[in-house]
């Protein structure tokens, strides 16, 4: 029998909020893992498809696949768009969180690393570049608190805003796997975890069907 999920709030059906899932020590350890990844695969500035307008969020990835965006479109690819090197391996601590919280037997294939400076935001969107929507998307917050907005599966529907703090885990699963979501803004100075300030959000995904 699968282990029961840790304590959480169900914000909408399948949208699960695990507040303070990671204590400070676990957050610091994950941050060290992410800093090591970024030495090999530096943050890059993605651009919007067609317009080429730069994102305010900077990104990198680890794991076999990484999500990228440029004038050619959104996609997953096995290498960094600037260095062309394969993405660094998924840190074992991240894979372990996937086992506990996502509760699917197949390992995550991509970890998207988003870095939000004081003025960064992410407009409402769906995570739908994966070939399979059975597995959830697991998001982990490190650093300054973010105002996270979540709605339903259709654009323009009702939304609600919650504050994701450092150490929180959020799961988009089941009926909320394709929910619209975004970051209205971050609240600078709300965490001391990152010396430089700002926020990392790590999202673990499956890209291919877990056969
Ligand atoms: C995302 O949708 O990729 C980011 C969500 C977040 O930063 O919490
Ligand atoms: Fe997303």
């Amino acid at each position: 029998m699968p282990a029961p999920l840790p304590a959480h709030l169900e914000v909408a059906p399948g949208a699960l909020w695990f507040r303070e899932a990671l204590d400070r020590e676990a957050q610091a350890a994950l941050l060290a893992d992410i800093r090591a990844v970024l030495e090999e695969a530096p943050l890059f500035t993605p651009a919007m498809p067609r317009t080429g307008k730069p994102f305010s969020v900077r990104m990198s990835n680890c794991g076999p696949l990484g999500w990228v965006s440029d004038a050619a479109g959104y996609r997953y690819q096995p290498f960094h768009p600037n260095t062309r090197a394969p993405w660094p391996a998924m840190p074992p601590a991240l894979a372990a969180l996937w086992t506990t919280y996502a509760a699917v037997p197949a390992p995550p294939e991509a970890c998207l690393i988003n870095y939000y400076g004081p003025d960064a935001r992410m407009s409402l969107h769906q995570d739908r570049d994966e070939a399979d929507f059975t597995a959830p998307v697991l998001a982990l917050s490190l650093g300054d608190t973010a105002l996270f907005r979540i709605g339903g599966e259709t654009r323009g529907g009702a939304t609600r805003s919650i504050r994701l703090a450092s150490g929180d885990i959020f799961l988009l699963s089941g009926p909320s796997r394709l929910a619209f979501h975004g970051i209205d803004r971050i609240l600078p100075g709300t965490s001391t975890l990152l010396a430089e300030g700002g926020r990392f959000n790590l999202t673990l995904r499956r890209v291919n069907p877990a056969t």
Side-chain angles (χ1 to χ4, degrees), residues 114 116 122 125 127 148 164 181 183 199 201 205:
N114 288 340
Y116 296 77
M122 170 90 60
H125 65 277
D127 288 1
F148 176 75
L164 292 182
H181 61 280
I183 296 291
R199 170 179 187 257
N201 179 68
R205 300 111 187 270

Side-chain angles (χ1 to χ4, degrees), residues 101-135:
Y101 291 87
V104 285
E109 293 173 289
C111 173
L112 172 64
I113 302 167
N114 288 340
Y115 176 71
Y116 296 77
D119 300 316
R121 54 197 71 225
M122 170 90 60
S123 56
L124 279 178
H125 65 277
Q126 293 170 294
D127 288 1
R128 56 178 313 151
D129 300 317
E130 301 74 32
D132 184 76
F133 302 134
T134 317

